Amino acid sequence: MPSKKEILAFIASHGGDVGKRDIARAFGLSAPQKVELKAMLRELADEGTVDRRQRKLHVPGSLPGVVLADITGRDSDGELVATPVEWDSEEHGEAPRIIVRIPRTNGRRPAKTPAPGLADRVLLRIVEGSPELGNIYAGRIIKVLEKARKQTLGIFHSHLEGGGRIVPIDKKAAGRELMVPPGAEGGASDGDLVSVELLRQRVFGLPMARVKEKLGSLKHEKAVSLIALHAHSIPHVFPEAVVKEAEAARHATLKGREDWRQLPLITIDPPDAKDHDDAVHAAMDSDPANPDGFIVTVAIADVAAYVRPGSALDREALLRGNSVYFPDRVVPMLPERISNDLCSLRPEEDRPAMAVRMVIGADGRKRRHSFHRIMMRSAARLAYAQAQDAIEGRTDDTTGPLLESVLKPLYAAYAAVKRARDQREPLELNLPERKIVLTPEGTVDRVTVPLRLDAHRLIEEFMILANVATAEMLEEKRSPLIYRVHDAPSLEKLSALRDFLKTIDIALPRTDAVRPAHFNRILHQVETSDLEPLVNQVILRSQCQAEYVSENYGHFGLNLRRYAHFTSPIRRYADLVAHRALIRALGLGTDGLPEETTPAMLGEVAAAISVTERRAMAAERETVDRLIAHHLADQVGATFNGRISGATKAGLFISLDDTGADGFIPAATLGADYFHFDEARQALIGSRSGEMHRIGDRVEVKLIEAAPVAGALRFELLSEGTRLKGAQRRSARPAGRPKAGRSPGPGRNKVGRKK
C-alpha cells in the first residue's frame, strides 16, 4: 500500500488528470487495498491536501496538466528551463522549474515540433514532476505562443548631450533602466512613452536600446491601453496576409441555406456596440401538444462561412483567442471587414447565420431544438434601454411597429424561461459592473453603474438556452467539442468561507455536494443589509474560475450539466469551433470542423484560449486601474468614501464608491499597534487595541499617492475600526503574537518593522 506522500507525488506528477482508478492501477492495488485507498483519499481531501474536481484529483501548489510558461534560461545540461506565468508565490512559495523536453528523432528535431528559445512564451503539457521532488517538473511543448519580445515600452528621459535613458513601465523591470545612445532617440522628446528595441549588449554598464516608435504622452489615454497590450503581449496589429484575406471575402449567398429573411429577428445590444452577432425572435407555439408554449429562435452570425480552418484568418483568430475591450478601443479577434461588416447582423441587410429554434413549454423548460443554416434579415437594431422603454409603454419610431408582433412575444417567452431559471437556481451574485465614460478628448469623464434591465436578462437567458442546446446536440452526434465549464469550490475554499461566515453568525451547511442554492440562501439573508457587499465578495472569491475544456465536468455557477459557447463567434474562438462542429455533425456544409479533429486536439485549443481569456481580463482590469489613477492624480490629499475590498497581512485594499478605483493601505500606517491578519474574519486586527478592519467595512480614506503608469493608488485610513471585546479578542489573537498591553517594542512600529 503506497503512503500518503507517494500518492500525493503521483497525483502532482499528473497535473490533476488522475482519478482513484488511475492510482490503483499504477500501484497494482488489490480489492481490499482499493477500499483503503478510498479512505486515504477522503482523509487527504478533508485535510485540504488534495482538491477534488469531479472524479479527478489535484494537489494545491502543484502544476496543472497544461500550463502557460515563460522560458527563462538553461540548466547545467543545456536544457531549456521555464517557469509558469501564473503562480501565487505568497500562497504556494517559489515558482517551480520546468525542464522543457523537445522530442528528437534520429538526432533531429521533427519538423512539426516547435523550436522554442529563451524568453519565449509557450504552452506546455506537464509529463513528470512533483512539488515533493524539489519542485521540478518536465514539460512537452504544445505550442510556442510568442517568440521572445525584443522590444519594450518605457518613458524616455533625454540627456543634454544627446541620447538618454528609458525607464520601463513594467513593474518587474523597475530599477533596470536602458541607455539610449546619441542618434538612437527616434525623435522622442523628454517624457514620451516610446517603444524601444534592445541593441547588442556590452559586458559592463546599462543595457543599450534604440527608440523604435514614439507613442505619445502618457497623458493621452490611448497610451494607457498600449501599455496593457504590451505588458500582456496581446496581438493588436493584423498581419498583411490576414488583412488581404479579409478584404478578399465576399458576401455569402443563399446556396445551401434556408431562407428565413421574412422572420422578424431583431438585435438588442449596448448602444455603442459596433458588431451585432446575435438576433432573437419568439412566438406562441401553435402546437396543441404545447399549450401556452413558445418557439424561441436565436440566430448567430455565420463566421464559419468566412473564416475557414487553417486559413490566415483562422490562425490569427486562434492566436488572439478573443476580442479585448478597453474604454477607448477594441482589439478585435477578427478584422473589421469580417466583424463589423460581413458578419454584423445589420438591419434590413441579408446576412448568413447559424440559427437554433427551441420549443419552450409553459413552464419555461426547453422541450426540443433544431439547428439551421440560414439567410436572415434583421428587422431592427435596438439598445437594451430602448427595448425596455418600449415594453413599459415608451415607444419610438423604431419600437412602435414592433411592440405587439415582436417585443411582447419576446418578453412573454422570457417570463416563462425565467420560471425555469428560478427553479434551476443558478448562483445569483450581486456585483454591479462599472463603466468608464470618456470625454471627446479621451480623458475620463465619469464612472457609471449601468442599470440591470429585464432586456439584459432576456438576452442572457436566451443565449444560455442556445449554448445548452449546442452542447446537447454535439453530444448527441458524438462530435468533439469545447465545453465551457466551472468547477465547484474546493474543500479548502469552502472551509475558509465557512469559517468566515461563522464570524458573522451565518452557517454554511457541511455537505460534500454544495450547490449554488446554498450560496443563494446566504445571499438572500444579507440582501439590502450592510453585509451584502461583503458577503457577495467573499462568496465570489470562494469560486473557481471558469475555463474551456474538451472533457465536460459541468458548470457550477449556472447549475448546468453541460454547456458550450455558441453565441459570440465574432469575439470568441470557442464559439467559432462550436459552429464548425455543428456544421460537420449536421451536414450543413463543407466548411465545418476538419475530419481529423480529435478531443485531444480540441483540448489543446481549449487550454490556449483559456489563457488568452485570462490575459484579456487582466489587461482590461489594469487599463481601468491606470485610467482611474490618471483621473485621480491631481486629487492627491482629497478624501473619499469607500469599502475595504480585501485584507492581507501586508495591508488593506480599498474600493472607492464613486469610481470603483482600487487602492492600498499598508498595514504599517494603520495606527500605533501590531496588526495581524485574521484569515477567518478576513480582517486586520490590532493585538493591543482589538481594533478590527474587515472586508466590507465602510471607510473614509485620504489619497496619499497616485502612480498612473503602474495604475496604483495609496491611501491613508481616516476611519476607526470595530473594537473587539473579551473572548472575541482572545480568539482573534494569533499564537506567538504580542498580547494585549505589550507594545511592539522600542524602535519598532506597529507591524514589528524598524522605524
Side-chain angles (χ1 to χ4, degrees):
M1 188 68 194
S3 66
K4 285 186 178 181
K5 186 173 182 180
E6 290 171 323
I7 290 176
L8 288 173
F10 179 82
I11 296 171
S13 68
H14 287 73
D17 297 323
V18 60
K20 184 181 69 175
R21 185 179 300 175
D22 302 309
I23 299 172
R25 187 184 298 117
F27 290 97
L29 302 185
S30 63
Q33 288 175 317
K34 290 179 182 178
V35 176
E36 189 177 346
L37 172 65
K38 183 177 181 181
M40 188 181 294
L41 292 177
R42 187 181 296 112
E43 289 176 9
L44 290 171
D46 291 341
E47 294 166 2
T49 311
V50 166
D51 284 342
R52 285 182 180 270
R53 296 185 177 183
Q54 301 302 312
R55 295 187 176 181
K56 299 295 184 180
L57 301 165
H58 177 75
V59 176
S62 64
L63 291 178
V66 176
V67 64
L68 181 69
D70 287 333
I71 296 177
T72 55
R74 295 182 184 273
D75 64 9
S76 57
D77 297 325
E79 297 286 345
L80 293 172
V81 177
T83 56
V85 172
E86 296 185 355
W87 184 262
D88 191 340
S89 299
E90 290 187 4
E91 184 173 352
H92 301 305
E94 185 178 354
R97 298 170 71 240
I98 309 169
I99 307 301
V100 181
R101 291 186 174 173
I102 302 177
R104 298 180 182 278
T105 304
N106 297 327
R108 295 185 178 183
R109 179 176 54 81
K112 291 186 178 180
T113 302
L118 291 175
D120 286 354
R121 180 159 289 184
V122 295
L123 197 65
L124 296 173
R125 184 176 298 282
I126 301 301
V127 294
E128 288 181 45
S130 166
E132 304 292 328
L133 303 174
N135 216 15
I136 298 177
Y137 294 77
R140 176 177 64 82
I141 293 281
I142 294 175
K143 186 175 183 180
V144 177
L145 296 178
E146 58 182 349
K147 300 301 290 181
R149 292 173 287 170
K150 294 185 179 179
Q151 67 175 36
T152 187
L153 293 184
I155 309 300
F156 177 73
H157 295 283
S158 61
H159 290 164
L160 292 175
E161 62 274 16
R165 56 189 174 87
I166 301 292
V167 179
I169 57 91
D170 190 349
K171 292 180 182 178
K172 295 180 181 179
R176 299 198 295 270
E177 296 183 352
L178 307 174
M179 184 63 68
V180 177
E185 303 92 338
S189 303
D190 191 73
D192 276 350
L193 175 66
V194 296
S195 167
V196 302
E197 185 176 36
L198 298 179
L199 303 174
R200 186 180 298 274
Q201 303 305 305
R202 301 178 298 181
V203 178
F204 301 103
L206 293 176
M208 304 295 288
R210 71 176 179 86
V211 176
K212 187 175 181 181
E213 185 181 3
K214 185 173 71 170
L215 301 173
S217 170
L218 278 181
K219 293 180 181 178
H220 196 289
E221 269 63 16
K222 188 174 182 179
V224 176
S225 55
L226 280 177
I227 292 174
L229 293 176
H230 170 267
H232 295 277
S233 302
I234 296 174
H236 60 285
V237 177
F238 286 106
E240 185 177 354
V242 175
V243 175
K244 285 184 177 180
E245 195 172 281
E247 293 300 325
R250 295 293 175 262
H251 287 276
T253 65
L254 191 58
K255 183 179 179 180
R257 301 177 182 278
E258 300 175 42
D259 189 350
W260 286 20
R261 287 177 291 183
Q262 298 306 312
L263 186 70
L265 290 151
I266 64 170
T267 62
I268 306 177
D269 292 294
D272 54 353
K274 293 183 179 179
D275 54 68
H276 309 272
D277 56 3
D278 57 86
V280 293
H281 178 268
M284 294 293 296
D285 189 359
S286 58
D287 186 352
N290 186 27
D292 298 322
F294 296 87
I295 303 293
V296 172
T297 302
V298 174
I300 307 298
D302 190 356
V303 177
Y306 301 103
V307 183
R308 305 299 177 93
S311 64
L313 277 167
D314 182 50
R315 293 193 300 272
E316 183 69 14
L318 176 56
L319 178 66
R320 296 181 177 221
N322 44 256
S323 299
V324 187
Y325 295 86
F326 298 114
D328 66 316
R329 67 163 77 186
V330 175
V331 180
M333 184 179 78
L334 298 167
E336 287 192 9
R337 167 66 173 160
I338 303 295
S339 61
N340 292 357
D341 184 5
L342 296 176
C343 288
S344 187
L345 306 181
R346 297 173 177 171
E348 304 301 332
E349 294 186 22
D350 292 358
R351 286 292 184 269
M354 287 286 294
V356 55
R357 178 172 280 168
M358 297 170 287
V359 178
I360 308 297
D363 59 358
R365 298 184 183 275
K366 178 170 65 65
R367 297 191 171 187
R368 59 185 179 274
H369 57 260
S370 59
F371 284 85
H372 309 262
R373 210 168 189 187
I374 68 169
M375 185 68 73
M376 61 163 284
R377 181 179 293 167
S378 172
R381 177 179 62 203
L382 304 183
Y384 287 114
Q386 188 180 14
Q388 192 67 38
D389 283 345
I391 210 70
E392 293 174 359
R394 299 181 296 276
T395 59
D396 55 29
D397 292 344
T398 302
T399 58
L402 300 172
L403 181 60
E404 295 296 330
S405 60
V406 176
L407 289 174
K408 285 188 175 181
L410 277 172
Y411 275 78
Y414 164 65
V417 169
K418 186 177 182 299
R419 285 193 288 273
R421 176 195 181 279
D422 292 342
Q423 290 179 358
R424 192 179 82 239
E425 285 200 90
L427 185 59
E428 296 180 346
L429 290 169
N430 181 17
L431 299 166
E433 294 186 9
R434 288 177 168 81
K435 180 178 180 180
I436 291 183
V437 179
L438 301 179
T439 66
E441 293 74 31
T443 58
V444 175
D445 179 26
R446 64 189 184 280
V447 179
T448 64
V449 179
L451 289 175
R452 179 86 168 146
L453 306 171
D454 277 347
H456 294 95
R457 299 183 181 95
L458 180 154
I459 294 298
E460 184 178 277
E461 289 306 313
F462 287 175
M463 297 305 114
I464 289 173
L465 282 175
N467 289 336
V468 171
T470 299
E472 291 176 347
M473 177 61 76
L474 292 175
E475 282 188 353
E476 179 185 331
K477 297 297 181 180
R478 300 185 181 278
S479 169
L481 72 150
I482 292 178
Y483 292 93
R484 180 65 169 179
V485 296
H486 179 223
D487 208 352
S490 67
L491 291 175
E492 185 180 15
K493 288 187 175 180
L494 282 176
S495 178
L497 175 62
R498 192 174 285 112
D499 289 343
F500 167 75
L501 291 173
K502 192 184 299 181
T503 68
I504 54 175
D505 298 323
I506 295 178
L508 176 65
R510 289 188 177 275
T511 172
D512 292 335
V514 66
R515 294 285 183 265
H518 292 125
F519 296 123
N520 290 340
R521 282 193 283 273
I522 292 170
L523 293 169
H524 292 326
Q525 285 183 50
V526 299
E527 199 169 6
T528 70
S529 74
D530 290 340
L531 290 173
E532 183 179 13
L534 163 65
V535 174
N536 272 271
Q537 281 290 339
V538 175
I539 289 180
L540 172 66
R541 293 179 184 186
S542 73
Q543 304 301 307
C544 293
Q545 190 169 29
E547 60 181 345
Y548 295 107
V549 297
S550 59
E551 295 183 4
N552 184 35
Y553 58 81
H555 199 295
F556 176 81
L558 293 175
N559 200 14
L560 293 169
R561 285 179 290 181
R562 55 189 59 83
Y563 193 65
H565 273 164
F566 162 78
T567 54
S568 294
I570 288 178
R571 62 184 180 91
R572 294 189 306 227
Y573 193 81
D575 304 59
L576 176 56
V577 172
H579 280 231
R580 289 172 176 166
L582 288 166
I583 291 168
R584 187 180 88 173
L586 301 175
L588 298 177
T590 59
D591 46 2
L593 210 59
E595 290 293 335
E596 64 273 15
T597 304
T598 64
M601 294 168 64
L602 288 187
E604 294 185 356
V605 171
I609 60 180
S610 292
V611 168
T612 61
E613 179 187 45
R614 291 193 290 271
R615 177 181 71 180
M617 292 170 63
E620 292 165 359
R621 182 176 61 251
E622 290 173 12
T623 298
V624 168
D625 288 344
R626 290 188 175 103
L627 283 167
I628 296 295
H630 271 285
H631 181 56
L632 297 178
D634 59 353
Q635 298 185 50
V636 171
T639 59
F640 302 90
N641 293 318
R643 287 185 183 272
I644 298 176
S645 58
T648 69
K649 60 184 179 182
L652 302 172
F653 293 92
I654 305 298
S655 180
L656 302 185
D657 290 343
D658 293 339
T659 61
D662 294 315
F664 186 66
I665 300 175
T669 66
L670 288 179
D673 201 345
Y674 187 107
F675 280 85
H676 65 268
F677 177 56
D678 186 312
E679 185 174 3
R681 288 181 169 85
Q682 290 290 295
L684 284 177
I685 301 175
S687 295
R688 291 187 294 109
S689 63
E691 184 178 4
M692 178 176 69
H693 302 286
R694 185 175 62 180
I695 290 181
D697 287 352
R698 294 204 56 79
V699 292
E700 184 180 9
V701 296
K702 179 192 289 188
L703 180 60
I704 300 300
E705 182 182 0
V709 173
L713 301 171
R714 186 164 63 87
F715 296 113
E716 175 187 338
L717 185 63
L718 302 180
S719 305
E720 291 188 0
T722 305
R723 299 281 176 173
L724 297 181
K725 297 180 180 179
Q728 290 181 317
R729 292 179 59 178
R730 288 191 293 274
S731 66
R733 187 183 305 129
R737 294 299 190 194
K739 296 182 179 179
R742 182 186 300 175
S743 70
R748 294 182 179 273
N749 64 13
K750 54 203 159 296
V751 293
R753 298 190 184 96
K754 289 184 178 180
K755 291 183 179 178

